[in-house]
Amino acid sequence: MTVSEDLFERARTLMPGGVNSPVRAFGSVGGSPRFMVASDGPYLTDADGKQYVDLVCSWGPMLLGHKHPAVQEAVHAAVDRGLSFGASTPDESALAELVMQRFGGVDRLRMVSTGTEATMTAVRLARGYTGRELIVKFAGCYHGHLDSLLASAGSGVATMALPGSAGVTAATAAETLVVPYNDRAAVEAVFAEHGDNIAAIITESAPANMGVVTPGEGFNKFLLDTAHAHGALLIVDEVLTGFRASDAGYWGLSGRVEGWTPDLYTFGKVIGGGLPTAGLGGRADVMDRLAPTGPVYQAGTLSGNPVAMAAGVATLTHATPEVYAHIDALSLELQKAVSAALNAEGVDHSIQTAGNLFSVAFGTSERGVHDYADAQAQEAFRYAPFFHSMLESGVYLAPSVFEAWFLSAAHDDAAMQRVYDALPAAAKAAAAATPA
């Protein structure tokens, strides 16, 4: 038995499923999860001492790579000053200013601790601002594990083939209207029927929890116009894409180019540089409805934690145009290499992109993936053998086909060559796979 296997056996006696976040349990790919104990640059090291090229990057936050010297220095300095004060600190404003410099339409920012908390607060704020109850979301989009948005969610829910979650009441679920992604007619129809009671549309800026799905041309602008025509708000979830898909998230590739901003954004992952922090921001008249200036209550003892703020400030300060150019170039090269390996083995597939984020969907070359139904219809059985082949070759991918691939500024030629060398065997494994 490996050390990781032994650790997993112990963990399963102590925690539900042996994990603290479901996808980590390797449920959709099988086998025993690797327990990681160290990291450096583009690499992870597990409890057995095996090194992996990391293409998960802590699900996005390690934009600069693991143990970036400037981030480490900032965090160590913050720790020396104290772990938590339960009071305001200068770096809260410093991080807010960095966010506002990159994202248009962020007049105010409220720091919270998780992406789920950010979207929960944004939804409550939209309801408080409009005085309405209903929220429109898209099938396959995941906005955290708050009750009202777990209907037809992606991410871990998609991986486990669960339509929602036990413990979510029918009354709570009824407050959410779920429509197919990229379907303008469905959006128009739901507003025609319920428009007077819809508080907001919430959408991932570019979905990355049913695999990556590229929004149709002008789709997000259409959502904004439709919402405003009916007195509702648009919440753009940039928890995964923010500061990742570009320097200004996926909004930087769409809204910044097309000249629009949403009413509210939610942020997470990269904003904390690997430490648990998140935020929501947007129009001043909407954000000022939050307590203490308004009647919509939200609070958090660890919101704006000084160590997390220091990590976020250091990460965004060093996320330069050169960093994004490097990651963009690597992403294009890796996409081409993945396709070449799969094509060589006759494995039908498509690659979906959102800036430098991408994912692979098997058996989808004719149509691609445009919504949750497309994502669910793919030949997902090919991913597990592909994943395990890459893992044995020392490349760590997300243990779910419904996730994005991540690169960092630290991925150099040596790390990428290890990935390229692993692809032919993984493609053979995918080609040999058969449905269960």
Side-chain angles (χ1 to χ4, degrees), residues 5-357:
E5 288 170 340
D6 186 55
L7 288 170
F8 190 45
E9 286 299 311
R10 178 180 179 233
R12 286 197 291 185
T13 70
L14 301 169
M15 294 172 279
V19 296
N20 285 310
S21 191
V23 176
R24 297 177 192 172
F26 277 34
S28 72
V29 294
S32 182
R34 303 300 190 267
F35 278 59
M36 300 302 176
V37 297
S39 62
D40 189 31
Y43 300 109
L44 293 173
T45 302
D46 71 13
D48 291 279
K50 183 171 182 176
Q51 187 186 70
Y52 304 85
V53 179
D54 183 16
L55 297 182
V56 178
C57 294
S58 192
W59 307 92
M62 312 319 296
L63 178 73
L64 304 178
H66 295 282
K67 294 173 60 177
H68 186 277
V71 179
Q72 296 287 99
E73 181 180 353
V75 169
H76 289 161
V79 168
D80 287 343
R81 293 190 293 269
L83 297 180
S84 180
F85 308 133
S88 297
T89 67
D91 271 349
E92 291 173 275
S93 295
L95 184 52
E97 287 176 343
L98 288 170
V99 173
M100 291 174 185
Q101 288 168 11
R102 296 192 182 204
F103 278 83
V106 180
D107 303 321
R108 303 278 192 276
L109 191 74
R110 170 62 59 88
M111 298 298 179
V112 294
S113 296
T114 68
T116 291
E117 190 180 357
T119 55
M120 176 186 72
T121 304
V123 166
R124 181 183 301 163
L125 180 56
R127 286 176 168 143
Y129 181 83
T130 62
R132 299 173 175 183
E133 297 180 358
L134 300 179
I135 301 294
V136 175
K137 78 171 292 281
F138 294 98
C141 283
Y142 178 69
H143 305 288
H145 58 87
L146 61 157
D147 284 5
S148 61
L149 296 183
L150 271 178
S152 296
S155 192
V157 177
T159 298
M160 299 177 71
L162 299 175
S165 173
V168 177
T169 66
T172 298
E175 295 174 347
T176 303
L177 307 173
V178 182
V179 296
Y181 190 70
N182 270 329
D183 190 333
R184 296 188 181 212
V187 174
E188 291 170 342
V190 80
F191 271 92
E193 184 173 354
H194 300 284
D196 291 344
N197 198 27
I198 294 175
I201 305 171
I202 185 168
T203 183
E204 290 184 72
S205 191
N209 286 285
M210 48 178 154
V212 174
V213 177
T214 309
E217 184 175 356
F219 184 66
N220 285 340
K221 174 63 162 56
F222 159 77
L223 296 180
L224 180 70
D225 292 342
T226 302
H228 285 185
H230 293 270
L233 303 182
L234 175 65
I235 304 168
V236 167
D237 183 340
E238 291 265 11
V239 169
L240 261 178
T241 51
F243 315 101
R244 250 293 169 189
S246 79
D247 65 326
Y250 197 76
W251 174 85
L253 304 175
S254 54
R256 183 164 61 185
V257 177
E258 298 162 2
W260 60 269
T261 58
D263 302 295
L264 291 170
Y265 297 93
T266 59
F267 302 109
K269 310 293 185 186
V270 177
I271 197 176
L275 291 181
T277 194
L280 65 148
R283 285 169 34 193
D285 64 313
V286 179
M287 290 295 296
D288 283 345
R289 295 294 181 92
L290 283 173
T293 56
V296 179
Y297 193 73
Q298 181 277 332
T301 300
L302 296 180
S303 295
N305 173 270
V307 181
M309 295 298 97
V313 169
T315 296
L316 293 190
T317 298
H318 288 83
T320 62
E322 291 76 19
V323 164
Y324 289 102
H326 176 73
I327 295 174
D328 290 349
L330 287 186
S331 178
L332 287 173
E333 291 175 9
L334 181 53
Q335 291 170 43
K336 292 176 182 177
V338 171
S339 274
L342 291 173
N343 286 337
E345 298 299 327
V347 179
D348 184 83
H349 69 284
S350 64
I351 291 182
Q352 280 65 235
T353 63
N356 54 53
L357 293 181

